[in-house]
Amino acid sequence: MVEQFHRPASVQEALSLKKRFQARAAFLAGGTFANAKDSPLHPDHWISLEGLKLDRIGLKSGALMIGAL
């Protein structure tokens, strides 16, 4: 059962929450995998990545960067 749904204001806060709750937490981006019928994920804490500007695709120093969303 979900205990808490977190909406961190920064990537650092999201990482801090994951470190705090460890295996009891999971990051939530689109939710497709998490909502799949046979998903192995059953965390107590969901950490939303929405609003953290991880939804971009672009080039950085010659490398293709694909965001988490």
Side-chain angles (χ1 to χ4, degrees):
M1 175 190 272
V2 176
E3 224 175 273
Q4 285 188 322
F5 184 83
H6 304 272
R7 291 184 188 265
S10 68
V11 171
Q12 187 60 36
E13 185 181 352
L15 294 172
S16 178
L17 287 164
K18 180 63 175 158
K19 183 175 181 180
R20 177 178 170 192
F21 297 113
Q22 297 181 14
R24 294 179 51 218
F27 292 118
L28 181 64
T32 302
F33 180 71
N35 290 312
K37 182 178 165 182
D38 56 350
S39 174
L41 295 177
H42 303 288
D44 297 327
H45 298 265
W46 282 108
I47 304 168
S48 175
L49 299 180
E50 183 180 20
L52 300 183
K53 299 183 181 177
L54 299 174
D55 57 347
R56 299 180 177 19
I57 296 175
L59 290 174
K60 184 176 181 180
S61 301
L64 180 63
M65 304 296 288
I66 301 175
L69 299 174

